[in-house]
Amino acid sequence: MCFLMMETLSFDGDIISLIYKIGDIALIGLAVMGQNLILNMNDHGFTVVAFNRTVSKVEEFMKNEAKGTKVIGATSMENMVSLLKKPRRVMLLVKAGQAVDDFIAKLVPLLEKGDIIIDGGNSEYGDTNRRCKELAAKGMLYVGSGVSGGEDGARYGPSLMPGGSPEAWPHVKDIFQSISAKVGKEPCCDWVGPEGAGHFVKMVHNGIEYGDMQLICEAYHLMKDVLGMTQDEMADVFDDWNKGELESFLIEISRDILRFKDSDGKYLLDKIRDTAGQKGTGKWTAISALEYGVPVSLIAEAVFARCLSAMQGERIEASKQIKGPATTKYTGDKKEFINDIKYALYASKIVSYAQGFMLLREAAKELNWKLNMGGIALMWRGGCIIRSVFLGNIKQAFDKKPDLSNLLLDDFFKGEIQKCQTSWRKVVATAVTLGVPTPAFSTALAFFDGYRSARLPANMLQAQRDYFGAHTYELLDNPGKFIHTNWTGHGGNVSSTTYQV
Ligand code: 2AM
């Protein structure tokens, strides 16, 4: 009976609210992600109350996409809240920034202690930390959730990364895990950690996505310019790679992009301008890496590679004036080199994820968060843009050793990188010799070699700092004791204060 009423009165939330408190959750923000999440929740048996700043969009949604569903369109925020079961759950899918604060300010007077506000937008984790504390002071619960998978993911199963007030989790778990992507029967959604942990993890996810995409671009560049392969040949290689260790959504779509022909029968990819855009989440990851002092070099290089690509006019001018090696063509065995590229990509990818998890670990330490690392790998395993078989291996590494300090020290990954090493070095060396840029492959290898070095040349650096700035240094056999040397004989013996940024 209830269902029939809602079918006939689908937009008239005012009348329904007088009779029933039937809404399981309210969702504010009817752009693409919001609409698709509502329909996904509806498919899983939840009654969703829909609202939007521009209320006419609610009406449109109810008449079109939500027609014939259990979704209830709210006429106002008051009406929306009056339709909800308690504790009330209100999810925001609005533009990150001021819009979230504005909606929270409007919601607070309408809600009660114990009610839950969920932000599913792309908010900065620092904002989520702040909002979590502000709402806790008012007795309300706040969840900041990463949502990944684009339009299709939102509709049929996204990767969800919720964090915030832990008391909120039992109240949102059922909805979240029901609508999320699944790997086998396991939901790609689990509790990430306190405060802005969910948004932090989503930010790192996006940074890793930048890295994965750049690695694929470098493999494509080498196959195209160094091996002179056709797009169909490259597509076949990606198809082959997608059956092994590299099986992933991004390899799969890259294969399909390579095969795609425009209406004139020509490859579309070749016609696309080589200037990359960005919305900032890769940059935020790199900024966090600098802030926490973690060498997340691959993601940073991926961001810089986009920046360099965007300087197209300057590059075209420079290309006329600055010459590199006489040829970019490889003269050795083509098939063997394709396999080398695959291993260079795989090894670099292992480094990139190792760096990403290092950042998560350090942020968790600094912010006093307990992060569920294995759970994070599983959340990324399906539903999101970086979904891959590889993340299943990462999950296993954390299952074996939940406090694993670095992925590169896990037995499986140690073995895999060993398997790749010769090829990886050959690819980077060849690219350098032929003048084809591979910033991500190269920085990954440099990190790898640095990480496995018991001794680095930073002793020289410390000596230089002490020489010109009296910054002091420690001796190998007496760590912790900072000393200064009068290197020139005419400098003073007074050292500057020791501090670490
Ligand atoms: P709108 O349809 O009224 O523009 C994605 O842009 C979503 O965020 C939309 O639902 C949009 O509402 C909402 N949004 C964008 N800026 C907003 C703001 N300043 N205040 C409230 N909602 C906003």
Side-chain angles (χ1 to χ4, degrees):
M1 176 196 158
C2 197
F3 181 73
L4 279 176
M5 267 196 62
M6 278 177 278
E7 281 255 81
T8 45
L9 297 174
S10 57
F11 184 64
D12 206 343
D14 282 325
I15 297 175
I16 296 171
S17 71
L18 294 173
I19 313 167
Y20 299 109
K21 301 276 180 222
I22 43 180
D24 291 305
I25 186 166
L27 195 144
I28 301 176
L30 295 181
V32 180
M33 291 299 277
Q35 289 197 11
N36 282 301
L37 275 180
I38 291 175
L39 297 175
N40 184 354
M41 287 174 184
N42 177 77
D43 284 353
H44 285 88
F46 300 103
T47 302
V48 190
V49 183
F51 188 67
N52 194 65
R53 174 182 62 169
T54 312
V55 183
S56 59
K57 285 194 192 162
V58 182
E59 208 164 344
E60 268 168 49
F61 178 58
M62 296 308 297
K63 280 195 202 134
N64 298 296
E65 294 85 354
K67 193 166 180 215
T69 67
K70 291 200 298 175
V71 179
I72 307 168
T75 49
S76 65
M77 298 263 283
E78 290 76 5
N79 172 232
M80 176 193 83
V81 169
S82 72
L83 285 158
L84 293 173
K85 292 174 192 164
K86 291 182 186 177
R88 301 181 185 94
R89 293 168 284 206
V90 180
M91 185 161 183
L92 300 170
L93 266 142
V94 298
K95 201 166 161 223
Q98 196 55 45
V100 177
D101 285 313
D102 291 350
F103 267 119
I104 292 174
K106 284 184 194 142
L107 276 168
V108 166
L110 304 174
L111 298 178
E112 291 169 9
K113 287 192 173 171
D115 286 346
I116 302 154
I117 298 177
I118 306 156
D119 172 18
N122 250 335
S123 295
E124 283 191 61
Y125 77 95
D127 284 341
T128 307
N129 285 345
R130 170 180 57 80
R131 290 166 186 150
C132 215
K133 285 184 192 124
E134 285 168 2
L135 281 156
K138 296 184 166 79
M140 287 171 203
L141 307 178
Y142 194 71
V143 175
S145 181
V147 178
S148 176
E151 190 180 334
D152 243 33
R155 181 68 185 85
Y156 301 108
S159 159
L160 295 173
M161 300 153 240
S165 318
E167 311 83 42
W169 180 228
H171 300 290
V172 296
K173 185 176 177 181
D174 186 28
I175 300 182
F176 269 45
Q177 293 196 334
S178 301
I179 65 163
S180 77
K182 310 280 179 307
V183 173
K185 285 195 173 136
E186 292 222 65
C188 295
C189 169
D190 202 350
W191 188 248
V192 175
E195 301 177 339
H199 278 135
F200 190 84
V201 165
K202 171 67 186 350
M203 177 193 76
V204 175
H205 161 281
N206 283 27
I208 288 179
E209 179 184 311
Y210 272 54
D212 278 358
M213 292 166 80
Q214 175 63 24
L215 291 172
I216 291 175
C217 287
E218 291 177 17
Y220 157 68
H221 197 174
L222 291 170
M223 283 192 263
K224 182 159 105 31
D225 287 359
V226 171
L227 295 178
M229 290 167 68
T230 66
Q231 285 203 195
D232 269 337
E233 285 172 335
M234 290 187 261
D236 290 344
V237 169
F238 277 108
D239 190 50
D240 184 43
W241 289 358
N242 202 38
K243 293 176 184 134
E245 307 93 323
L246 293 175
E247 183 186 333
S248 60
F249 171 71
L250 284 169
I251 292 278
E252 185 186 318
I253 65 163
S254 304
R255 172 199 66 196
D256 297 344
I257 288 167
L258 282 160
R259 291 226 169 99
F260 193 92
K261 287 192 177 142
D262 208 355
S263 48
D264 60 4
K266 297 201 172 113
Y267 289 113
L268 179 60
L269 182 62
D270 250 354
K271 299 187 199 173
I272 296 177
R273 211 171 153 230
D274 51 327
T275 53
Q278 46 184 319
K279 283 199 172 160
T281 37
K283 181 174 83 179
W284 294 350
T285 312
I287 291 172
S288 286
L290 290 170
E291 196 179 328
Y292 295 117
V294 185
V296 186
S297 58
L298 196 143
I299 294 173
E301 279 294 352
V303 175
F304 291 140
R306 289 195 191 196
C307 300
L308 183 59
S309 81
M311 300 163 58
Q312 193 204 29
E314 215 172 313
R315 285 189 289 111
I316 290 174
E317 196 43 48
S319 73
K320 293 177 193 153
Q321 299 184 35
I322 310 171
K323 293 288 161 231
T327 177
T328 60
K329 295 287 173 277
Y330 182 70
T331 48
D333 187 291
K334 185 168 158 183
K335 214 165 158 200
E336 196 182 288
F337 197 65
I338 292 172
N339 205 46
D340 292 332
I341 298 173
K342 171 182 164 183
Y343 282 147
L345 199 164
Y346 184 36
S348 304
K349 184 166 166 142
I350 295 172
V351 167
S352 179
Y353 283 67
Q355 292 181 341
F357 276 93
M358 282 165 71
L359 176 57
L360 291 177
R361 172 175 283 270
E362 189 56 31
K365 205 166 99 192
E366 293 267 334
L367 296 161
N368 214 3
W369 291 345
K370 193 168 163 15
L371 288 185
N372 171 6
M373 298 295 189
I376 291 166
L378 183 66
M379 280 175 254
W380 294 347
R381 170 71 188 82
C384 59
I385 305 298
I386 63 170
R387 61 183 180 261
S388 65
V389 163
F390 177 77
L391 276 157
N393 298 327
I394 298 182
K395 168 82 170 73
Q396 279 170 10
F398 283 112
D399 282 349
K400 262 189 291 170
K401 202 163 184 266
D403 61 346
L404 180 68
S405 65
N406 195 300
L407 271 186
L408 294 175
L409 300 178
D410 168 72
D411 282 342
F412 173 77
F413 286 111
K414 247 191 299 188
E416 291 297 274
I417 245 183
Q418 213 55 46
K419 180 177 92 183
C420 297
Q421 232 188 109
T422 309
S423 291
W424 190 13
R425 293 185 190 285
K426 185 172 145 196
V427 168
V428 171
T430 306
V432 169
T433 308
L434 296 175
V436 174
T438 53
F441 285 175
S442 310
T443 197
L445 184 55
F447 172 86
F448 176 71
D449 284 333
Y451 186 71
R452 56 172 202 84
S453 295
R455 185 140 170 88
L456 285 170
N459 49 331
M460 170 59 97
L461 206 138
Q462 287 296 82
Q464 290 167 339
R465 292 177 68 234
D466 191 55
Y467 188 111
F468 65 70
H471 292 301
T472 75
Y473 58 86
E474 299 157 283
L475 288 172
L476 274 173
D477 57 7
N478 198 4
K481 182 169 167 35
F482 288 86
I483 52 174
H484 168 61
T485 291
N486 181 351
W487 295 87
T488 56
H490 54 257
N493 289 314
V494 183
S495 60
S496 69
T497 48
T498 42
Y499 61 89
Q500 295 284 341
V501 178

